[in-house]
Amino acid sequence: MKDTMNLVEDWQVVRDKIKTHSWARQIVDRMKPVTDQWVARYEDDASRVAGWGHHYFCDQCFAALIFDPEKPHEHKCSGCGRLRAAQEVDDAWCYMYRANVCSQVFSAAVLHNLYGGSAYMAFIRKVLGFLSDNYGSFSVRTPPRQEGRFSGTDLTDGVCVIWLLNGMELVRDEFTMDELETYKRRFFLPEAEFLIEKVGVTPNIICWMKAAAGMIGLFFNERKWCELAAEGEYGIKKKLSDGLLPQGFWYEASFHYHFYCAEGMTYYLAFCKLYGYEFPEMEDALLRMYRYPVMYAFPNGEFPNPNDGWPLLKFGNYAHQYEWIRNIHDEAAYRYALAQCYDKEDTGRADANIGGVSRLLFGRNWEEERFDGELRGKGLPDAESRVDPDIHFALLQNGDASVFLKYGFVLRGHSHADIMNFELFYKDEVISRDISNSGYGSDLFREWQRKTIAHNSVMVDKLNQPNRPVGRIEEFDRENSSCRVAADDVYDGIHYARRLQLHEDRLEDEFQAIPAPGHEEEHVFDWLFHCSGEPQSDLNFSETDPPGDADGYQLMLETMVCDTDSDWEVSWTMPDKQLTLKMEGSPGTTVYLFRGYEHRLDVMRWGVMVRRRGTAAAYKAEYSFSSRMNDSSQLHMK
């Protein structure tokens, strides 16, 4: 049974925040009209087919479509403005509708506690009644093995259940025993059985499903579901044992999926505390998972973005999770993260990040936190270089510059073909970044974002990197901010090695493609680097067709070419800084300059590709970076 603790201990404290802090008032002002609209207009139809959310993207520019809960058959692109009509998009709309309405149950429960009245509880009962009355008759249409029971996918079934329960927890005393029994018998217990039995496609999905089943067990005092969620081949204990690496990073090697895996279990941990259920293995894992990103984030709060995920992620994207975990367990690392999440109240920007419901319930003015010397060594960033050999990450730091390097793989799933890829941060932004990806259903994702060509790496024989080698750290010098890494059989019979040394004003880079004994055939090697800004060079470039017709080459735009045996350089100029790439010459070198896509078709950047032929290849480069005065002068190619 539940002990005396509540998810929100004192609602008057929340009301006082709203009166005292403009950010809290703004959160309510943003949230309440949206929830009120759902309360007034919610109508679902059990005959709708729920699909896959990754289809809710434009098929022309691959930007996200604009979800309108009033328009199940009208889907406008947020980028190009086109309307998209397709069955899979209608299905994805239904997926989004049901996911949204379940999260609105939580918001409605918050507003009921703040404002009272009958409307919010009526809405909550209507949603729960619809799901209970129709469970077992819903239809879904998703990729194979991802089928759920009511929301579309198995993952979103778990997510929806968690937000329903979080909301119900806030208004539990409003329900009669008969109502709770009906919801349990007709919806939640059948769903718990499904979530326990379903294996799922990827490990983070399994963690969400099992966490949801465990929360059902706690809320309805059916603790056998907690044990089933924890134990067995697909239980949370086994998944954490397999997937959480020693320093605390999730083995899918993506900051997005690291946080996403942690999220569902975070809500489950909150329920474990509420209901007095001990789950030390999960609690220890989560505390380490939330410390890790603090040590590997760039100084501006943005995260490196290897492998699958979503672009331009930073602490602010995961503020709600840090609010929940800090409410469960308070420590300096979590307060530091929250201090990076929110914009100050006086920014005046309409898009200012002031947080959401989690900050309203649990948060405070985190920017007022101080992190002085006595807190060092308590999970706070120390501006030192570091390496994590278990996930094959290195972070080099020196002055205003940082470099994040990925030099190996643990899993193939969610991976990109980009071994030895690096990201470069200078002063206040990532100037050469991993673009991550957009929706999984897009051609841009399949033909560019996951390919080697979109990363700072090397291709062989114009082919995408086929293998996912482990990678190893051969040298690491923290004091001099340098490392040398290697990986065998990136291509069959071809090994890679890369040495990076970061100085305050430049990065030294040596890249080798080395044939294994007995594999001394001639190959074509293409070295790649992408950067923000407009290019300038003294090389005598001329227009040309893309130097390949597959594996991403076909998407190279405005391609220019120059042959040179000598040392050469190209600069990228940004509004307030400049980067210059200098490369040591080698006979038979061809330099290509081209525009490439980022995470959307309307967002572009310039890349350089350096082609050489031989049985091996060695590239010696230096990237120098500096601040510059902001002016309106235009740079042109010679």
Side-chain angles (χ1 to χ4, degrees):
M1 296 296 292
K2 184 181 177 183
D3 61 22
T4 59
M5 183 178 176
N6 294 306
L7 190 60
V8 177
E9 286 294 341
D10 189 342
W11 284 98
Q12 187 57 47
V13 171
V14 180
R15 295 185 189 97
D16 290 343
K17 284 184 202 176
I18 297 169
K19 293 178 182 178
T20 305
H21 300 293
S22 63
W23 58 262
R25 176 74 262 167
Q26 290 176 59
I27 289 171
V28 174
D29 289 345
R30 292 178 182 181
M31 174 183 92
K32 191 174 184 299
V34 175
T35 301
D36 286 349
Q37 186 172 39
W38 279 96
V39 168
R41 302 184 182 181
Y42 167 67
E43 289 292 342
D44 204 346
D45 183 344
S47 67
R48 290 171 177 160
V49 178
W52 193 41
H54 291 295
H55 283 144
Y56 213 67
F57 286 85
C58 177
D59 58 352
Q60 299 296 316
C61 75
F62 306 117
L65 301 175
I66 300 171
F67 172 73
D68 185 337
E70 300 295 310
K71 298 177 180 178
H73 305 292
E74 184 176 313
H75 317 291
K76 187 176 182 179
C77 176
S78 63
C80 66
R82 292 184 177 90
L83 293 176
R84 185 179 178 199
Q87 181 63 57
E88 67 180 20
V89 185
D90 288 352
D91 294 349
W93 179 93
C94 180
Y95 162 112
M96 296 183 71
Y97 189 91
R98 290 190 182 144
N100 270 275
V101 81
C102 291
S103 68
Q104 288 299 325
V105 164
F106 179 73
S107 298
V110 170
L111 293 171
H112 176 78
N113 280 281
L114 293 175
Y115 299 106
S118 60
Y120 295 118
M121 283 306 304
F123 166 74
I124 293 169
R125 287 186 169 98
K126 187 173 182 180
V127 173
L128 293 169
F130 171 79
L131 294 172
S132 299
D133 290 345
N134 293 285
Y135 193 81
S137 65
F138 294 113
S139 297
V140 302
R141 188 160 37 225
T142 72
R145 298 176 56 222
Q146 297 187 41
E147 300 87 354
R149 286 291 177 87
F150 70 96
S151 69
T153 67
D154 48 8
L155 168 62
T156 44
D157 269 22
V159 175
C160 288
V161 163
I162 283 174
W163 284 111
L164 289 170
L165 290 170
N166 282 336
M168 293 171 70
E169 178 64 33
L170 294 179
V171 292
R172 184 182 185 113
D173 292 343
E174 299 288 341
F175 296 112
T176 67
M177 293 301 295
D178 287 344
E179 284 176 320
L180 290 175
E181 180 64 26
T182 297
Y183 302 148
K184 178 179 78 169
R185 178 172 49 83
R186 299 178 65 177
F187 176 73
F188 284 102
L189 290 189
E191 184 67 18
E193 184 175 4
F194 166 74
L195 293 169
I196 289 297
E197 292 179 353
K198 190 77 189 296
V199 172
V201 175
T202 60
N204 68 77
I205 292 176
I206 294 173
C207 290
W208 272 95
M209 293 193 298
K210 306 317 175 196
M215 289 175 69
I216 291 172
L218 291 176
F219 187 88
F220 291 104
N221 198 29
E222 296 268 356
R223 295 202 171 187
K224 72 172 185 178
W225 300 109
C226 303
E227 302 305 316
L228 291 169
E231 305 296 341
E233 181 67 21
Y234 298 102
I236 290 174
K237 287 182 182 179
K238 181 66 164 58
K239 289 302 156 190
L240 289 173
S241 175
D242 290 344
L244 191 61
L245 299 172
Q247 288 192 26
F249 201 65
W250 180 246
Y251 69 160
E252 288 179 276
S254 156
F255 278 81
H256 168 71
Y257 283 107
H258 175 85
F259 278 108
Y260 198 64
C261 178
E263 184 175 0
M265 292 185 289
T266 304
Y267 306 129
Y268 185 22
L269 179 61
F271 263 48
C272 289
K273 296 297 184 182
L274 292 176
Y275 287 89
Y277 182 77
E278 295 294 325
F279 198 161
E281 298 90 347
M282 185 176 72
E283 182 168 5
D284 174 71
L286 285 169
L287 298 183
R288 292 191 292 127
M289 289 179 81
Y290 283 108
R291 293 174 192 138
Y292 189 99
V294 174
M295 303 304 292
Y296 279 87
F298 291 120
N300 68 341
E302 189 172 340
F303 296 120
N305 218 342
N307 303 308
D308 284 348
W310 306 106
L312 304 171
L313 298 176
K314 55 182 61 178
F315 280 115
N317 294 93
Y318 304 100
H320 60 292
Q321 292 181 230
Y322 275 108
E323 294 285 11
W324 277 78
I325 194 66
R326 193 220 55 88
N327 193 52
I328 297 167
H329 181 90
D330 192 8
E331 63 177 66
Y334 308 154
R335 285 182 270 123
Y336 173 87
L338 286 163
Q340 317 307 309
C341 285
Y342 306 122
D343 295 319
K344 293 186 181 298
E345 295 184 47
D346 58 359
T347 60
R349 295 193 349 252
D351 62 344
N353 182 8
I354 58 169
V357 181
S358 300
R359 188 187 189 193
L360 181 68
L361 299 183
F362 310 129
R364 60 191 191 219
N365 281 351
W366 296 112
E367 67 270 14
E368 297 174 358
E369 287 282 339
R370 292 182 57 83
F371 300 96
D372 298 320
E374 70 271 12
L375 292 176
R376 299 301 178 194
K378 295 185 178 180
L380 297 179
D382 52 16
E384 290 190 356
S385 298
R386 53 180 46 87
V387 65
D388 186 344
D390 297 295
I391 196 66
H392 317 298
F393 290 167
L395 179 68
L396 306 179
Q397 302 192 91
N398 196 332
D400 290 331
S402 302
V403 170
F404 175 84
L405 171 67
K406 166 192 159 185
Y407 62 89
F409 300 86
V410 176
L411 293 179
R412 192 175 185 97
H414 281 306
S415 70
H416 289 194
D418 64 342
I419 197 165
M420 307 296 172
N421 181 58
F422 72 87
E423 299 184 58
L424 174 61
F425 172 93
Y426 180 60
K427 281 196 177 294
D428 57 357
E429 64 179 316
V430 184
I431 57 178
S432 179
R433 70 182 182 93
D434 192 320
I435 60 175
S436 190
N437 53 264
S438 54
Y440 295 143
S442 74
D443 291 337
L444 184 62
F445 165 71
R446 290 186 290 267
E447 297 301 324
W448 182 261
Q449 293 163 343
R450 256 195 177 183
K451 300 286 189 180
T452 310
I453 199 168
H455 300 83
N456 298 335
S457 189
V458 168
M459 297 178 72
V460 178
D461 295 332
K462 299 188 286 186
L463 298 173
N464 203 50
Q465 293 175 2
N467 301 328
R468 299 293 186 272
V470 171
R472 60 187 178 275
I473 188 88
E474 296 193 328
E475 299 173 9
F476 176 65
D477 186 338
R478 178 177 285 106
E479 183 176 347
N480 291 303
S481 301
S482 69
C483 67
R484 187 180 190 276
V485 296
D488 296 336
D489 287 315
V490 179
Y491 294 79
D492 293 344
I494 299 176
H495 309 329
Y496 279 6
R498 191 164 207 167
R499 180 188 178 276
L500 298 176
Q501 182 167 8
L502 181 63
H503 303 269
E504 288 190 359
D505 61 349
R506 69 191 188 280
L507 172 67
E508 297 174 2
D509 177 14
E510 298 178 23
F511 199 122
Q512 294 176 287
I514 307 163
H519 292 269
E520 290 83 8
E521 304 89 356
E522 182 168 296
H523 299 281
V524 174
F525 298 94
D526 287 339
W527 180 101
L528 294 142
F529 176 71
H530 306 261
C531 191
S532 301
E534 292 301 313
Q536 181 184 32
S537 179
D538 289 333
L539 288 174
N540 188 23
F541 282 106
S542 59
E543 294 182 3
T544 187
D545 293 329
D549 56 11
D551 277 340
Y553 288 92
Q554 75 278 14
L555 296 180
M556 295 170 66
L557 304 176
E558 300 179 37
T559 309
M560 295 177 281
V561 65
C562 178
D563 293 323
T564 181
D565 296 339
S566 305
D567 297 354
W568 56 273
E569 64 182 65
V570 173
S571 296
W572 285 259
T573 302
M574 291 149 270
D576 60 350
K577 54 183 69 74
Q578 180 169 292
L579 178 141
T580 298
L581 164 64
K582 299 178 182 179
M583 182 168 283
E584 191 174 281
S586 180
T589 294
T590 302
V591 182
Y592 295 88
L593 189 69
F594 64 95
R595 292 188 76 192
Y597 298 110
E598 294 196 33
H599 57 285
R600 293 174 13 182
L601 288 181
D602 60 341
V603 182
M604 309 285 287
R605 63 180 175 177
W606 286 94
V608 65
M609 188 181 83
V610 186
R611 175 167 288 180
R612 292 175 181 168
R613 290 175 170 81
T615 58
Y619 296 91
K620 189 172 183 179
E622 179 184 276
Y623 318 79
S624 59
F625 27 84
S626 60
S627 300
R628 64 185 292 273
M629 296 298 292
N630 191 347
D631 60 50
S632 58
S633 61
Q634 298 294 314
L635 297 173
H636 302 280
M637 304 306 300
K638 182 175 179 179

